Structure formats: structure tokens, C-alpha cells
């Protein structure tokens, strides 16, 4: 699918603001995220990856569309979320997205490390689709 059609805004500083990426090994969280995105009634596209390796493989391709937002679980198999972000940030096609740590719990002491890596926002998983929808909507409006 061509993501550069009439419904997509392209910014050289933040990738495609209508393209959201989720990296999470839990497919139930993918479904919750999809429902929350659909509730927004916005022309948004989502890419889902079960692990860091598949996200790296995708964004290593020079023709991949840079995302505007990346939601990443901090507890991924093989490569944790913080290591994954560091690897992704090295890729040309991963230049400047808004980074969101999206995890079950995000300890306060870990937040400062993640901020140094480049995480822009923290969202803890609550299971509430309404709350997630609201958090994503606020993110899209303020970033």
C-alpha cells in the first residue's frame, strides 16, 4: 500500500504522522491498540511487529516509510525495548519519530534512562481501551 497518498502528511523531521508502529510481542495488545486507533476515526495506518528483529528488518529497507510514532513494549523477547530503540535509531528510515514506551509498568528510575535514549512519552498499559484512545488522541494533538 502506498502511504504517500492524499491522506498522509509527510514531514522530514517526524516521518509520516499518520503511520503508527507498535512493537510488542503480545498480539492481544495489538488488538487493543487497533480498537483504540479505530475509535479515533482518523486516517491512520498501523504497522505491528512482534519483536525488535522484525522491526529492524522492515526499517532497514530504504523504501520503507518512516513512521511518525513508535509505541514499544519494554519487555520484548531477545532484545529489550531500550536496546531495540537504540538499534532502530541507527537506521536512516527511522529518523525522528515520536517514541512512546508502552508497557505494563515503567519504573521511575528507568524513565530517565529511556528519556536519554530518546523516549518522548510513557504510557502504561491499563487494559482500558477508552483510556488508551484518549492518550493516543492527546499524543496526536500535542506532538
Amino acid at each position: 500500500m502506498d502511504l504517500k497518498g492524499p491522506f498522509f502528511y509527510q514531514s522530514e523531521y517526524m516521518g509520516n504522522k499518520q503511520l503508527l508502529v507498535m512493537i510488542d510481542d503480545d498480539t492481544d495488545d495489538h488488538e487493543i491498540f487497533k480498537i483504540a486507533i479505530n475509535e479515533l476515526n482518523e486516517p491512520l495506518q498501523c504497522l505491528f511487529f512482534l519483536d525488535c528483529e522484525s522491526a529492524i528488518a522492515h526499517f532497514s529497507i530504504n523504501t520503507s516509510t518512516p513512521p511518525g510514532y513508535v509505541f514499544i513494549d519494554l519487555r520484548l523477547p531477545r532484545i529489550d525495548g531500550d536496546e531495540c530503540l537504540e538499534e532502530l535509531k541507527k537506521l536512516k528510515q527511522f529518523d525522528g519519530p515520536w517514541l512512546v514506551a508502552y508497557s505494563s509498568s515503567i519504573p521511575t528510575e528507568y524513565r530517565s534512562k529511556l528519556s536519554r535514549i530518546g523516549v518522548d512519552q510513557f504510557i502504561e498499559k491499563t487494559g482500558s481501551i477508552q483510556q488508551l484512545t484518549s492518550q493516543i488522541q492527546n499524543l496526536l494533538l500535542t506532538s
Side-chain angles (χ1 to χ4, degrees), residues 38-93:
N38 287 336
E39 293 284 322
L40 296 173
N41 292 318
E42 296 287 335
L44 301 170
Q45 293 286 322
C46 296
L47 292 177
F48 296 90
F49 299 98
L50 292 171
D51 56 30
C52 186
E53 295 91 341
S54 58
I56 289 171
H58 176 82
F59 289 107
S60 293
I61 300 170
N62 286 336
T63 57
S64 64
T65 301
Y69 302 90
V70 176
F71 295 76
I72 186 166
D73 188 7
L74 300 177
R75 291 165 192 83
L76 294 170
R78 296 175 298 284
I79 300 175
D80 278 337
D82 57 337
E83 293 174 60
C84 183
L85 286 173
E86 289 182 17
E87 291 302 314
L88 286 168
K89 288 178 71 174
K90 295 176 186 176
L91 302 174
K92 179 182 177 191
Q93 289 304 100

Side-chain angles (χ1 to χ4, degrees), residues 103-123:
S103 205
S104 298
S105 67
I106 308 168
T108 305
E109 61 276 5
Y110 198 43
R111 290 177 185 236
S112 60
K113 176 186 178 185
L114 293 169
S115 292
R116 284 191 304 274
I117 293 171
V119 171
D120 299 295
Q121 188 164 342
F122 303 92
I123 296 177

Side-chain angles (χ1 to χ4, degrees), residues 9-62:
Y9 169 76
Q10 190 75 27
S11 165
E12 79 177 275
Y13 299 109
M14 195 175 151
N16 181 335
K17 290 185 88 168
Q18 266 62 45
L19 178 60
L20 287 70
V21 168
M22 175 180 242
I23 306 170
D24 194 319
D25 62 323
D26 187 339
T27 56
D28 288 342
D29 286 329
H30 292 196
E31 291 302 317
I32 291 167
F33 195 82
K34 283 180 201 175
I35 293 167
I37 294 300
N38 287 336
E39 293 284 322
L40 296 173
N41 292 318
E42 296 287 335
L44 301 170
Q45 293 286 322
C46 296
L47 292 177
F48 296 90
F49 299 98
L50 292 171
D51 56 30
C52 186
E53 295 91 341
S54 58
I56 289 171
H58 176 82
F59 289 107
S60 293
I61 300 170
N62 286 336

